[in-house]
Amino acid sequence: VINAGKSQHNEDQACCEVVFVERRPSPRGRLLSREGGGELDGGRRGFYFHYWALFDGHAGSGAAVMASQKLHLHICEQLRDLVDILRDPSPAPICLPHDVRAGTVEPSRVPLAEDDGEVSNDAVPRFHLEKAVSHESLVIGAIENAFKHMDDQIERERTSQHLAGGCCALAAVYLMGKFYVANAGDSRAIIIRNGEIIPMSREFTPETERQRLQFLAFLRPELLGKEFTHLEFPRRIQPKELGKKMLYRDQNMNGWAYKKIEEDDLKFPLIYGEGKKARVMATIGVTRGLGDHDLKVFSSNIHIKPFLSCFPEVRVYDLTQYEHCPDDVLVLGTDGLWDVTNDKEVAGVVMDVLTSYEPNDPCRYTMVAQELVVRSRGVLKERGWRLANDKLGSGDDISVFVIPL
Amino acid sequence: VINAGKSQHNEDQACCEVVFVERRPSPRGRLLSREGGGELDGGRRGFYFHYWALFDGHAGSGAAVMASQKLHLHICEQLRDLVDILRDPSPAPICLPHDVRAGTVEPSRVPLAEDDGEVSNDAVPRFHLEKAVSHESLVIGAIENAFKHMDDQIERERTSQHLAGGCCALAAVYLMGKFYVANAGDSRAIIIRNGEIIPMSREFTPETERQRLQFLAFLRPELLGKEFTHLEFPRRIQPKELGKKMLYRDQNMNGWAYKKIEEDDLKFPLIYGEGKKARVMATIGVTRGLGDHDLKVFSSNIHIKPFLSCFPEVRVYDLTQYEHCPDDVLVLGTDGLWDVTNDKEVAGVVMDVLTSYEPNDPCRYTMVAQELVVRSRGVLKERGWRLANDKLGSGDDISVFVIPL
C-alpha cells in the first residue's frame, strides 16, 4: 500500500525476475566449449538465478525506481565472470590470467595456451599458506560489488535522469540451491520454517551502526564540519551546563560514563535520537542504502554520504540442508511492515492464512502478503488508520514478498 | 600449567579478589550520609564486587603481571563515582554537578545547595528527547574505561617498571546480582547451565576484526608504512603475476572477488594467514588487549599498537533471572585451553567431574579446573605431549577458572 492512502506517491519499489547469467564470451570460448557440461539457453552457456527485491525510497522515488530496474542486471554482470568457476566443483582458482573480457586481452603479452594451463594448475594449492575460497563467498562478493556498481550508476546518472533521494535495498537471490539475502538498510527478511523464525537480515540504522560512524568521524573530524561532535549524549547539552558532568559514549564504548562538559560537547551529536527517531547528523534514519549522493545537513554544506554505506550484509540459507513443506516461506518486508507487525505476528499470519487455503493453491502466498500489508495499514476510522488493537497503523509505504521455499 | 613444561616462564597470569568500592568522599558527604541506606564496611559506605580475571601475556610477562595486580583497582576506581547512583533504584541522572572529586570543587563557582537540588531534579526527564541509561550500562562503561586506564598505566610505567610485551585480558565481575564478563583478546568464557552452553565472550583476532583493521588502514594508510596493503589476498602475490586477476577482499566485503593485480597489491597484506596463524602485519595474532605499546613490525619502524584496541566487549548475565543448581558454572580459560578442548568437551568434563563429587564438596570446582588443564596439556610420550586421542596437546600456557553460579 502507498503510505496508507495518505499520499499519492509510492517510494517503495519492488522487482521480481528470473535472470539468465550468460558466460562472457572470450577468445578461449571455443576451446572451453568442448569441455564438460553447462546449461544451455538457446545455445548460450550459463545459469539462471531467481531474484526478488524491495527498495524503500526516501526524499523521492528516483533512486528506488532505478535500483528496482537495474540492481539484478548488476548482479548478473558480476556473476558472468564466475560462470565457469561456479559450475566447476573444484575450489575457486585464486589467480586467473589477464582480463580476457570483451577482447581487451593483449595477445603479445599473454600467451593463451600457457595461461590456460595455469588456470587449471592454480586450483591446486601450490603455496604453503593459501586460503581456500568457497563458491558461496564468490557469490557473496559478486552481490556486494553489484550493490557498489548500482550506487555508482545512480551517482553518474543522477543529474541527467533527475534521480532524487536514496533507498534501502533488500534483495534475495536464489542460485544453485542457496538463498543469498542481501540487506542494506532497515528492511527485513525472515524465514518461517515449521513455525520457527530464522532471521535472514539485520537492520542498519544510526543506533546499530553508531560505533562505525563514530569511528569514522573520530578519524575524519573534517566530515563533521564544525557543527557536530562524534560523541553521543543522552540529550542535548545546554551552554549553562558547561563544566558539569554528563553521560556520554564514544566509538569504543557500549556502556555509558560521565565526562566533564567542554565547549566542543555543545555541538550537535553525530548520532541523536532513539529508535525510529534516531538520525545521522539530524538528517537520515538509515545508514546503508543506495543513492543520497547530494544529501546534505539542512542549510549547511556538510555531506551525509561519507557516513552511509552502499554495501549489504549477505546471509546465506542452504535450501538443500532441510526438507521444506508448503508452509515454509521467506518473507521480505520494508519497515512499513515491521514497524507495526513483529516477527512473531508475521509468523502467526503466515500460519493462519496458509492453513485456510489448499497446499497446492498457487495464490495462497499472495494472500499472505496481502493480509500482512492490510493488517499493518489498518482500517480508516475517525481517529486515523487503526490496527485491530486500535493502535495507529503504519504511516509508511508497506511492501511484502512471501516466497515459498 | 606453564607451557606444558616446555619453558620455565609463565606468561599467563590470574587474579581473584573481593573488592570493596568505597564511595568517594565529597564536600557533600555529610549531607548525603544522612539519607537512605547503603552498605557500611567499618563505617565506609559502598558495595562489594567479586572479581576473577585471566591475562595471557605475549612477548614477555610484564604487562600480564601488572594487569593482574591492578585491573581490579581500576575497575574499583571507575565504580567509586557510581556508588550513590547504583544504590538508587531511580534512573541514572544524565547530568551531574561539577566534579567534586578529591576537593577539586571550586566553591565560588558551584553553589553546593543549588547543585544538590539539580541532582535530584535531573533524574526526572525534563527534555523532549532524553535517553534512559540503565545502571547496567553504567557498569559496562566503568569496566570499559577501566581497561583503558589500565592500558594507559602500562604505557606510562613500561620503561621504569621494565614491562615487556602485552596481554589478552578476560575479567568477570559479579556485582549486584549480575555477572559482567569483559573480554579483550582470544581468551574465552562460557556458562554451562543445566548442560546447556551459553557463550559469554567472543574472540578478537585478525580474522574476526579484519574489517575494522582494514577500515582503519584505508582511512590512515600512513599507518601501513610503505610495506603493507590494506587488501586481503588468499596468498602472497608474486611479481610475475602483475596484471593477472586475483581474489581479494577489502574493508567492505565479506565475500571474495577478482581484481587485476597492480603494483600496490604486491605489498604484504595487513591481515595474513588463517586460524591460529593469522597475523596483523605479520606480527601479532590478537587484536585486543593491554600493553604492546612498543611493538613494531620486525626490523621496521611501523607501529602495531594503532591497530590494537584495549577496549573489551562486555556481556552481562543476570543471575537473578534463573534458578541455578550446584553444577551450573562459569568457565574462564586462556586460548591454551580452547585450542585443544572445545566448548562441548569442556561441558562434558564439567559434568563428569562434578557428578563424581558430593554437591556440597567445596573442592569439586577446583577439581574440574585441574582436569580441564591436565586434559588439554596431555601426557608426555616419546613423540611429545599427547592428548587422550593421541593428538598433540596444547603447547601454550593453560589457565582455567571454574566458578559456581
Side-chain angles (χ1 to χ4, degrees):
Chain A
V1 295
I2 303 174
N3 216 358
K6 288 181 285 299
S7 90
Q8 296 204 284
H9 300 290
N10 191 2
E11 292 183 338
D12 273 11
Q13 296 291 321
C15 180
C16 169
E17 291 276 353
V18 180
V19 182
F20 184 72
V21 183
E22 188 181 0
R23 187 183 177 286
R24 210 180 291 286
S26 85
R28 299 174 294 134
R30 262 185 311 161
L31 192 80
L32 287 166
S33 69
R34 286 200 302 269
E35 299 166 6
E39 196 165 340
L40 289 164
D41 180 78
R44 300 181 300 160
R45 192 173 302 273
F47 52 73
Y48 287 93
F49 70 83
H50 291 68
Y51 171 87
W52 299 257
L54 295 176
F55 304 90
D56 180 351
H58 49 254
S61 60
V65 168
M66 181 176 225
S68 71
Q69 292 165 349
K70 303 282 187 183
L71 179 61
H72 56 291
L73 303 179
H74 283 287
I75 294 173
C76 178
E77 189 64 20
Q78 293 297 313
L79 289 172
R80 286 189 70 185
D81 290 318
L82 304 176
V83 169
D84 290 336
I85 294 165
L86 294 180
R87 300 197 67 84
D88 184 341
S90 54
I94 283 174
C95 189
L96 295 176
H98 275 262
D99 192 349
V100 290
R101 180 192 294 206
T104 58
V105 66
E106 302 152 42
S108 60
R109 282 188 62 198
V110 192
L112 289 181
E114 190 188 291
D115 261 358
D116 275 332
E118 287 205 18
V119 173
S120 34
N121 265 348
D122 229 326
V124 185
R126 293 177 303 180
F127 295 84
H128 181 60
L129 266 172
E130 185 164 303
K131 231 172 189 163
V133 173
S134 66
H135 288 181
E136 187 176 298
S137 55
L138 289 184
V139 176
I140 294 171
I143 294 172
E144 288 170 333
N145 280 331
F147 272 65
K148 173 66 176 152
H149 282 94
M150 184 70 248
D151 195 52
D152 290 344
Q153 186 184 6
I154 293 172
E155 181 174 24
R156 280 194 311 274
E157 302 181 10
R158 71 190 193 281
T159 318
S160 62
Q161 305 285 312
H162 309 289
L163 301 177
C167 65
C168 296
L170 171 62
V173 171
Y174 174 70
L175 174 63
M176 296 176 176
K178 289 177 179 172
F179 257 112
Y180 297 82
V181 179
N183 187 42
D186 64 355
S187 297
R188 186 187 299 167
I190 62 172
I191 279 175
I192 298 156
R193 187 184 67 208
N194 201 13
E196 186 196 353
I197 294 160
I198 303 163
M200 288 302 295
S201 69
R202 61 188 170 108
E203 287 83 68
F204 297 97
T205 68
E207 286 186 309
T208 65
E209 295 216 278
R210 173 182 57 84
Q211 287 180 287
R212 174 176 76 78
L213 271 61
Q214 288 184 317
F215 187 43
L216 173 60
F218 173 75
L219 291 172
R220 288 264 174 91
E222 69 275 14
L223 295 176
L224 297 173
K226 289 189 165 64
E227 296 184 35
F228 293 90
T229 165
H230 77 285
L231 297 181
E232 184 188 12
F233 299 102
R235 64 159 167 80
R236 287 306 308 277
I237 303 174
Q238 300 166 289
K240 68 172 184 188
E241 292 175 312
L242 258 180
K244 292 189 180 184
K245 289 169 86 181
M246 183 91 176
L247 285 173
Y248 82 102
R249 51 182 177 174
D250 65 19
Q251 67 278 4
N252 297 307
M253 299 167 72
N254 263 310
W256 294 82
Y258 290 98
K259 82 180 286 289
K260 196 173 168 182
I261 300 172
E262 297 161 50
E263 196 70 37
D264 214 52
D265 302 328
L266 299 178
K267 294 176 178 171
F268 201 91
L270 168 66
I271 306 294
Y272 189 60
E274 255 182 305
K276 291 301 284 182
K277 287 177 180 158
R279 292 284 179 278
V280 180
M281 298 201 282
T283 304
I284 188 169
V286 289
T287 51
R288 299 211 190 182
L290 306 167
D292 291 316
H293 296 90
D294 297 316
L295 188 63
K296 291 179 184 182
V297 175
F298 180 70
S299 86
S300 89
N301 209 27
I302 302 171
H303 285 267
I304 308 282
K305 186 69 174 174
F307 292 97
L308 307 179
S309 169
C310 64
F311 283 88
E313 182 187 73
V314 183
R315 296 197 183 180
V316 184
Y317 181 83
D318 189 343
L319 271 172
T320 67
Q321 294 291 298
Y322 306 93
E323 292 235 351
H324 294 93
C325 74
D327 290 1
D328 295 337
V329 294
L330 169 63
V331 178
L332 313 181
T334 54
D335 64 336
L337 170 69
W338 305 105
D339 286 349
V340 297
T341 310
N342 66 31
D343 294 8
K344 222 172 150 180
E345 291 164 339
V346 166
V349 172
V350 167
M351 186 123 59
D352 289 350
V353 177
L354 288 183
T355 50
S356 68
Y357 288 83
E358 291 294 321
N360 54 357
D361 185 340
C363 76
R364 64 203 293 263
Y365 305 102
T366 307
M367 296 317 292
V368 175
Q370 281 195 15
E371 175 63 20
L372 285 171
V373 166
V374 168
R375 230 184 100 101
S376 306
R377 179 199 60 178
V379 174
L380 188 56
K381 300 191 177 171
E382 311 87 73
R383 296 166 304 110
W385 294 86
R386 294 282 163 175
L387 304 180
N389 60 13
D390 207 44
K391 285 188 179 163
L392 267 181
S394 177
D396 203 351
D397 304 326
I398 311 170
S399 305
V400 178
F401 272 121
V402 176
I403 303 161
L405 294 181
Chain B
V1 293
I2 303 174
N3 214 357
K6 288 183 285 300
S7 90
Q8 298 205 285
H9 300 289
N10 191 1
E11 291 184 340
D12 273 10
Q13 296 291 320
C15 180
C16 169
E17 290 277 352
V18 180
V19 182
F20 183 71
V21 182
E22 187 181 1
R23 188 181 175 288
R24 210 180 291 285
S26 85
R28 299 173 294 136
R30 261 185 313 161
L31 191 81
L32 287 166
S33 69
R34 285 200 303 268
E35 298 166 7
E39 196 165 340
L40 288 164
D41 182 78
R44 302 180 299 160
R45 190 174 303 273
F47 52 73
Y48 288 92
F49 68 85
H50 291 67
Y51 171 87
W52 300 257
L54 295 176
F55 303 91
D56 180 353
H58 49 253
S61 60
V65 168
M66 181 175 225
S68 72
Q69 292 165 349
K70 303 282 187 183
L71 179 61
H72 56 290
L73 303 179
H74 283 285
I75 295 173
C76 178
E77 190 63 21
Q78 293 298 313
L79 289 172
R80 287 189 69 185
D81 290 319
L82 303 176
V83 168
D84 290 336
I85 294 165
L86 294 179
R87 300 197 67 84
D88 184 341
S90 54
I94 284 175
C95 189
L96 295 177
H98 277 262
D99 193 349
V100 290
R101 179 192 292 208
T104 58
V105 66
E106 302 152 42
S108 60
R109 283 188 60 199
V110 193
L112 289 181
E114 188 189 290
D115 261 0
D116 276 332
E118 289 205 16
V119 173
S120 35
N121 266 348
D122 230 326
V124 185
R126 295 175 302 179
F127 295 83
H128 182 60
L129 266 171
E130 185 164 303
K131 230 170 191 165
V133 173
S134 66
H135 287 181
E136 187 176 299
S137 55
L138 289 183
V139 177
I140 294 172
I143 294 172
E144 289 171 332
N145 280 332
F147 273 64
K148 172 66 176 152
H149 282 93
M150 185 70 247
D151 195 53
D152 290 344
Q153 186 184 7
I154 292 172
E155 180 174 25
R156 281 194 310 274
E157 301 182 10
R158 71 191 192 283
T159 317
S160 62
Q161 304 286 310
H162 310 289
L163 300 178
C167 65
C168 295
L170 170 62
V173 172
Y174 174 70
L175 174 62
M176 296 177 177
K178 291 177 178 172
F179 257 112
Y180 297 82
V181 179
N183 187 41
D186 63 356
S187 297
R188 186 187 300 166
I190 62 173
I191 279 175
I192 298 156
R193 187 183 68 208
N194 201 13
E196 186 196 353
I197 295 160
I198 303 163
M200 287 303 295
S201 69
R202 60 186 170 110
E203 287 84 68
F204 296 97
T205 67
E207 287 186 308
T208 65
E209 295 216 277
R210 172 182 58 83
Q211 287 179 288
R212 174 176 77 78
L213 271 59
Q214 288 184 316
F215 187 43
L216 174 60
F218 173 75
L219 291 171
R220 289 264 173 92
E222 68 275 14
L223 294 177
L224 297 172
K226 288 188 165 66
E227 296 184 36
F228 293 91
T229 166
H230 77 285
L231 297 181
E232 184 188 10
F233 299 100
R235 63 160 167 80
R236 288 305 308 277
I237 303 174
Q238 301 166 289
K240 69 171 185 188
E241 293 175 314
L242 258 180
K244 292 191 179 182
K245 290 170 84 181
M246 183 92 176
L247 285 172
Y248 82 102
R249 50 183 178 175
D250 66 19
Q251 67 278 4
N252 297 306
M253 300 167 70
N254 262 310
W256 294 82
Y258 290 98
K259 84 179 285 288
K260 196 173 167 182
I261 300 171
E262 297 160 51
E263 196 70 39
D264 215 51
D265 302 328
L266 299 179
K267 294 176 179 172
F268 201 90
L270 169 65
I271 307 294
Y272 190 62
E274 255 183 305
K276 290 303 285 182
K277 286 177 181 157
R279 291 284 179 278
V280 179
M281 298 201 280
T283 304
I284 188 170
V286 288
T287 51
R288 298 209 190 183
L290 306 166
D292 291 316
H293 295 90
D294 296 317
L295 189 63
K296 290 180 183 181
V297 174
F298 180 70
S299 84
S300 89
N301 209 25
I302 302 170
H303 284 268
I304 307 282
K305 186 68 175 175
F307 292 97
L308 307 179
S309 169
C310 65
F311 283 88
E313 182 187 74
V314 182
R315 296 197 182 179
V316 183
Y317 181 83
D318 190 342
L319 270 173
T320 67
Q321 294 290 300
Y322 305 93
E323 293 235 350
H324 294 93
C325 73
D327 290 1
D328 295 337
V329 293
L330 169 63
V331 178
L332 313 181
T334 52
D335 64 336
L337 170 69
W338 305 105
D339 286 349
V340 297
T341 310
N342 67 29
D343 294 8
K344 222 171 148 181
E345 291 165 338
V346 167
V349 172
V350 167
M351 186 124 58
D352 289 350
V353 176
L354 287 183
T355 50
S356 69
Y357 288 83
E358 290 294 319
N360 55 357
D361 184 340
C363 75
R364 64 203 291 266
Y365 305 102
T366 307
M367 296 317 292
V368 174
Q370 281 194 15
E371 175 62 21
L372 285 171
V373 166
V374 169
R375 229 186 99 103
S376 305
R377 178 199 60 180
V379 174
L380 187 57
K381 300 191 175 168
E382 309 88 72
R383 296 163 305 111
W385 293 86
R386 295 283 161 173
L387 305 179
N389 60 12
D390 206 46
K391 285 189 180 165
L392 266 181
S394 178
D396 203 352
D397 303 327
I398 311 170
S399 304
V400 179
F401 272 122
V402 176
I403 303 162
L405 295 181

